[in-house]
Amino acid sequence: MATPEKAAAVAELTDKFRSSNAAVLTEYRGLTVAQLKTLRRSLGENAQYAVVKNTLTKIAANEAGITLDDQLFAGPTAVAFVTGDPVESAKGLRDFAKDNPNLVIKGGVLDGKAMTADEIKKLADLESREVLLSKLAGAFKAKQSQAASVFQALPSKLVRTVDALRAKQDEQGGAE
């Protein structure tokens, strides 16, 4: 039977998996305590980075309804539990891994679906939610401006056409 400490650890990890938008599993072998502290800061305030035991983490993920590949649990593992924007945390991990090759992104979970390391790197390449929303708002504003220009151009074009017809009639009337 499991010890009360292990049962409490599994319950805590299960709760973190359930309350997180995303979780990224990494291998941290060779990183110093100072580097881990820097990594925790780079993830932002909406992420917690914790060194975990593989067996307990796998049990907790299963209890949370998440199926992860057994290969993710090879070697020393740490998990970044993300409660905010997963793109920000993925960028923090990617950038830290560029400077510190000892950090290896193994894979993870986004909204309950398993992700490979490559998919997490693609997630890191996305722009933040705020930037995407502002681009969308800008696109809507541009379309509205274009529509306003079209609607404004129709009456002025009509007036110019009528003026041109009058001028032509005046020329024809004066020529006779």
Side-chain angles (χ1 to χ4, degrees), residues 112-132:
K113 296 182 181 165
M115 294 181 70
T116 64
D118 289 336
E119 290 172 331
I120 291 171
K121 289 174 184 170
K122 286 179 186 176
L123 180 67
D125 292 336
L126 289 176
E127 292 174 334
S128 70
R129 183 177 188 272
E130 290 78 20
V131 171
L132 291 174

Side-chain angles (χ1 to χ4, degrees), residues 40-115:
R40 284 183 175 102
R41 272 191 256 121
S42 72
L43 292 177
E45 59 188 41
N46 295 325
Q48 290 181 334
Y49 189 74
V51 175
V52 295
K53 291 192 176 278
N54 289 335
T55 307
L56 301 180
T57 305
K58 186 172 182 181
I59 292 168
N62 286 335
E63 286 184 11
I66 299 167
T67 304
L68 294 172
D69 188 7
D70 288 341
Q71 293 176 349
L72 296 178
F73 298 103
T77 303
V79 181
F81 293 102
V82 183
T83 55
D85 184 10
V87 173
E88 178 186 345
S89 297
K91 284 181 186 200
L93 286 167
R94 178 200 59 196
D95 295 343
F96 188 86
K98 282 181 185 175
D99 297 335
N100 301 282
N102 288 336
L103 180 76
V104 178
I105 298 172
K106 297 180 181 182
V109 178
L110 177 64
D111 293 329
K113 296 182 181 165
M115 294 181 70

Side-chain angles (χ1 to χ4, degrees), residues 134-171:
S134 63
K135 283 185 175 184
L136 182 63
F140 282 141
K141 185 176 180 183
K143 292 296 179 188
Q144 288 174 344
S145 297
Q146 289 174 349
S149 298
V150 167
F151 292 136
Q152 190 176 18
L154 290 174
S156 62
K157 187 173 181 181
L158 178 65
V159 169
R160 286 194 301 271
T161 304
V162 169
D163 284 343
L165 285 172
R166 269 198 206 127
K168 190 172 183 179
Q169 282 181 345
D170 288 345
E171 284 179 16

Side-chain angles (χ1 to χ4, degrees), residues 2 4-17 55-57 59-61 63:
E5 293 84 16
K6 288 183 180 180
V10 168
E12 182 182 348
L13 288 170
T14 302
D15 186 48
K16 285 184 179 182
F17 272 114
T55 307
L56 301 180
T57 305
I59 292 168
E63 286 184 11

Side-chain angles (χ1 to χ4, degrees), residues 6-28:
K6 288 183 180 180
V10 168
E12 182 182 348
L13 288 170
T14 302
D15 186 48
K16 285 184 179 182
F17 272 114
R18 287 184 178 146
S19 63
S20 299
N21 297 339
V24 180
L25 282 77
T26 64
E27 182 175 324
Y28 63 94

